[in-house]
Amino acid sequence: TQTVSQSDAHVTVFEGDSVELRCNYSYGGSIYLSWYIQHHGRGLQFLLKYYSGNPVVQGVNGFKAEFSKSDSSFHLRKASVHWSDSAVYFCAVRTGGYKVVFGSGTRLLVSP
Amino acid sequence: GPKVLQIPSHQIIDMGQMVTLNCDPVSNHLYFYWYKQILGQQMEFLVNFYNGKVMEKSKLFKDQFSVERPDGSYFTLKIQPTALEDSAVYFCASSLGQGNTEVFFGKGTRLTVV
């Protein structure tokens, strides 16, 4: 059984700051990792994914994430956040099976 | 890019009545999913559907829930009868395959049971 852990329920930063949203997973086999963003009252928007190859993946709007097998992590980062980045961010795992398993989400608040 | 469409975006229904949530998945996709999100909480997997059959379902997929995709039309989630605790946003998703293929999500249908 795969699990996804997002240790920070809330993260608050100022506009222009860098941010890291943490994601750890538990699964021993091949794994497909992704990040989604959900603005208030809206649907899920895909940010980026990793399956194999370069462990650093670039996503939309300046986001990137780095896969680490040794740490079982897939942390999301952005060098300089904008107020419009305020949203809930979900890390998700998909293994060889059917379903996507989501973490509990991290609410990012960017203060002006 | 590919889009999953959900109709309607918001539905209000009396407790005990039946409701059908409609999803128009990406046209060539073969795997279909429903997720439930209670306001401000986690996305919870409900069910996965492939080749006309439920492949996997969670404990949240109660006996009152059913899914179907008749003749390649809408992929539907039916709840009969509805209960107050069914109030949530229901997200439909689809993918071309399993494993490392991307799953595309709709914008959700907000169901309010009163």
Side-chain angles (χ1 to χ4, degrees):
Chain A
T1 303
Q2 67 272 27
T3 62
V4 186
S5 171
Q6 292 182 249
S7 53
D8 299 314
H10 300 272
V11 171
T12 302
V13 295
F14 289 102
E15 198 165 34
D17 285 351
S18 63
V19 72
E20 177 182 86
L21 306 182
R22 303 174 65 79
C23 173
N24 290 88
Y25 63 90
S26 63
Y27 185 72
S30 297
I31 198 160
Y32 179 94
L33 294 150
S34 49
W35 277 95
Y36 290 84
I37 180 174
Q38 185 180 35
H39 286 102
H40 180 69
R42 308 280 292 277
L44 286 177
Q45 180 184 349
F46 174 79
L47 275 182
L48 48 75
K49 64 184 179 187
Y50 171 81
Y51 179 68
S52 64
N54 189 338
V56 179
V57 290
Q58 304 288 336
V60 298
N61 296 335
F63 284 97
K64 66 177 181 180
E66 183 168 2
F67 168 73
S68 171
K69 189 172 181 179
S70 58
D71 293 340
S72 297
S73 68
F74 190 57
H75 303 326
L76 182 70
R77 300 184 178 103
K78 186 169 182 178
S80 177
V81 294
H82 186 262
W83 64 264
S84 60
D85 294 324
S86 295
V88 180
Y89 291 78
F90 290 98
C91 182
V93 163
R94 193 179 193 207
T95 62
Y98 306 108
K99 66 183 182 187
V100 175
V101 176
F102 287 89
S104 53
T106 297
R107 184 175 298 276
L108 175 66
L109 177 62
V110 181
S111 298
Chain B
K3 289 191 190 305
V4 174
L5 301 176
Q6 291 189 241
I7 305 156
S9 58
H10 197 162
Q11 187 148 5
I12 301 173
I13 195 118
D14 290 326
M15 184 176 65
Q17 297 298 305
M18 181 195 77
V19 68
T20 300
L21 307 183
N22 295 303
C23 171
D24 187 11
V26 178
S27 61
N28 61 337
H29 283 187
L30 303 173
Y31 294 82
F32 313 108
Y33 316 80
W34 283 103
Y35 283 77
K36 177 181 180 181
Q37 186 183 38
I38 293 174
L39 189 63
Q41 297 186 25
Q42 193 166 348
M43 295 278 291
E44 303 274 11
F45 170 78
L46 282 178
V47 67
N48 157 248
F49 188 83
Y50 168 73
N51 197 25
K53 290 181 282 199
V54 170
M55 304 304 292
E56 185 178 0
K57 59 184 179 180
S58 72
K59 285 184 274 192
L60 296 178
F61 194 78
K62 304 181 295 184
D63 291 342
Q64 299 89 324
F65 288 32
S66 64
V67 290
E68 63 176 355
R69 192 184 187 214
D71 300 323
S73 60
Y74 285 149
F75 174 53
T76 63
L77 173 66
K78 184 185 295 185
I79 309 174
Q80 181 179 26
T82 51
L84 293 177
E85 61 264 26
D86 296 329
S87 294
V89 180
Y90 290 83
F91 290 93
C92 175
S94 70
S95 68
L96 186 57
Q98 306 175 50
N100 64 341
T101 58
E102 187 175 337
V103 180
F104 293 84
F105 285 82
K107 294 187 176 181
T109 294
R110 181 177 298 278
L111 176 66
T112 303
V113 182
V114 297

